[in-house]
Amino acid sequence: MAARAKGHRAPMVPRRVVMHHVVEDLRGTMIERVGDHLLQLLAKGVAPNEIAVVAPFVDKVLEHQLSSLLGLHGYAIAHVSGSKRLLDLPFAGTLLTLLQLTHPQWRLYPTTGDIAQALNVLLDLDPVRSMLLAAYAQGEDWRALTDANVCARIGYAAVQGYDFLRRHLAALREPASLAEIVQKIFTELLYPLNPSPSNLQGCRYLTEAARHFQVFSAAAALGEDSGWHFMQMIQRGTIAADRLAAPALEGGAVVLTTAYSLLMDKGNTFAYQYWLDISRDAWYRSDAKELTNPHVLSLRWQEGQVWTNFLNEELRREKAARTVLGLSHRCRTAIIAAESACDSYGSEREGELAALIAEMSGQRGKQDD
């Protein structure tokens, strides 16, 4: 540990795979240029699931802008994140809401917001009409829609759709195993809506999880409470969407993920990787916090050794080096790096990884030959 303090070592990026370096002042413009470059690869015949867009964090701005740009040309984005909950996926969340409504004995009643989200997915309603109808339908048993004012505000098609859902939910309350009812909700109500690749994989994973949990509950003799325990594990994140990475690669979608999630997903490689926001310090995050420091608490820490800022910076660089090398080993053809002088909030960014790649590229903003 002490030997590390003798000198800094910068992360090594394999020169042969850094094909292109995008540099822009604004982050939105950077994302547009990345999208344009990505579309050029797709036009050349590169399969969408052979491309990974990697960032230290994936925010709504990046996901929405990139999804919209690719969607205009008929391509999809599969957001793969180990921290994403199944409840955060619209179709999987809808399936879980319907599962609770068909099992009132669990006493896990969905909120008005959950029901509104489900109606938004199932009936293709805007948020205002979804919330209006959800407030009317709130309860174990959805009542018949007889309020003329509500009917007029949501429209005839929504009234018909609501009546169909109400009758269908009543039929789904017939006794059935957990795996069977999850499969029925998916195949009868959600699959006909043509879900996106990420939503489809989320529902499939949820169906698979229900089957595995049913086997476990039988062995553990959970009895009639098995469904309640299953929902508790979903809501607490014990059963999460962290296994969606591998299935997402099988679909025809470009993968959007974080560096951490990609490295944790063992075995997957890509022909092309886009490293975004390389000017952010998040690529060099430190493990040491104000109240916790895993290095000092480690058994390898030498008694009497002092934690210094110099040592902290050295360890940050070593961690970044492992991240960069790990990602490059998952790339078979080329890496495209992208940075912006300002982030989405207008704050200036200047990271060490950006400076290193610029030096290796020979010039900032290098274009493809």
Side-chain angles (χ1 to χ4, degrees):
M1 182 75 71
R4 290 194 180 105
K6 293 181 180 180
H8 292 306
R9 291 193 297 273
M12 294 302 296
V13 182
R15 185 184 301 271
R16 63 180 179 84
V17 296
V18 180
M19 181 181 76
H20 189 67
H21 187 189
V22 175
V23 182
E24 290 291 341
D25 291 331
L26 302 178
R27 187 168 185 254
T29 308
M30 177 203 72
I31 297 174
E32 288 181 7
R33 283 196 57 193
V34 166
D36 291 339
H37 190 277
L38 201 156
L39 287 171
Q40 292 176 19
L41 289 181
L42 294 171
K44 293 178 181 178
V46 178
N49 57 3
E50 285 285 2
I51 302 173
V53 179
V54 186
F57 297 104
V58 177
D59 57 10
K60 294 296 183 181
V61 174
L62 172 59
E63 183 177 9
H64 175 74
Q65 190 171 351
L66 205 55
S67 297
S68 299
L69 181 60
L70 295 184
L72 292 175
H73 297 270
Y75 298 104
I77 283 283
H79 181 189
V80 177
S81 174
S83 61
K84 177 175 283 189
R85 303 182 307 161
L86 284 168
L87 291 171
D88 296 330
L89 300 173
F91 275 65
T94 297
L95 195 157
L96 292 169
T97 296
L98 297 179
L99 188 61
Q100 294 175 75
L101 289 172
T102 55
H103 294 82
Q105 67 271 23
W106 295 348
R107 298 189 179 278
L108 297 173
Y109 308 120
T111 65
T112 303
D114 293 334
I115 296 176
Q117 174 65 41
L119 292 172
N120 173 268
V121 170
L122 294 166
L123 302 181
D124 194 25
L125 294 177
D126 59 77
V128 174
R129 292 190 297 165
S130 296
M131 187 59 71
L132 175 66
L133 187 54
Y136 181 88
Q138 183 71 22
E140 295 181 18
D141 297 303
W142 286 3
R143 50 180 173 160
L145 190 50
T146 57
D147 190 314
N149 181 50
V150 174
C151 292
R153 293 181 64 182
I154 67 173
Y156 177 77
V159 172
Q160 294 296 105
Y162 172 80
D163 186 58
F164 167 79
L165 286 175
R166 191 174 66 86
R167 288 184 281 106
H168 208 93
L169 286 176
L172 288 172
R173 287 184 176 179
E174 296 179 1
S177 67
L178 176 65
E180 289 175 342
I181 194 68
V182 169
Q183 182 67 40
K184 279 187 176 182
I185 293 174
F186 172 59
T187 55
E188 296 176 9
L189 294 177
L190 294 174
Y191 186 74
L193 300 178
N194 191 27
S196 65
S198 59
N199 279 311
L200 183 61
Q201 296 300 340
C203 290
R204 285 178 176 173
Y205 174 50
L206 190 56
T207 304
E208 178 188 348
R211 285 199 299 267
H212 288 307
F213 189 83
Q214 185 171 299
V215 174
F216 164 78
S217 63
L222 296 180
E224 296 181 355
D225 293 333
S226 61
W228 183 88
H229 288 289
F230 178 75
M231 286 300 306
Q232 289 294 310
M233 294 181 72
I234 293 288
Q235 292 174 345
R236 294 174 181 175
T238 307
I239 300 177
D242 56 353
R243 286 184 54 204
L244 296 183
L249 302 180
E250 300 172 3
V254 175
V255 174
L256 176 63
T257 185
T258 63
Y260 175 80
S261 295
L262 182 55
L263 292 175
M264 290 300 293
D265 184 25
K266 305 295 184 182
N268 285 320
T269 63
F270 297 87
Y272 295 89
Q273 289 182 15
Y274 287 81
W275 295 357
L276 270 56
D277 296 324
I278 60 171
S279 56
R280 292 187 61 174
D281 289 335
W283 285 92
Y284 280 78
R285 281 191 300 173
S286 173
D287 294 324
K289 309 298 180 183
E290 292 183 0
L291 299 179
T292 59
N293 189 330
H295 303 286
V296 174
L297 297 175
S298 170
L299 294 176
R300 293 179 297 173
W301 184 258
Q302 299 177 8
E303 185 177 355
Q305 185 178 356
V306 178
W307 179 263
T308 64
N309 185 61
F310 185 85
L311 182 56
N312 181 54
E313 291 300 309
E314 178 70 9
L315 291 171
R316 284 178 63 229
R317 287 178 171 83
E318 288 193 6
K319 181 181 178 182
R322 290 194 298 270
T323 299
V324 165
L325 289 175
L327 290 175
S328 64
H329 289 158
R330 302 290 186 89
C331 184
R332 301 192 302 274
T333 304
I335 293 170
I336 298 90
E339 63 171 301
S340 60
C342 299
D343 61 17
S344 298
Y345 301 98
S347 301
E348 293 187 0
R349 300 292 183 187
E350 187 68 32
E352 297 179 61
L353 183 58
L356 175 64
I357 292 179
E359 179 182 347
M360 294 181 60
S361 300
Q363 59 179 348
R364 300 177 74 86
K366 178 182 176 183
Q367 301 295 323
D368 289 334
D369 295 331

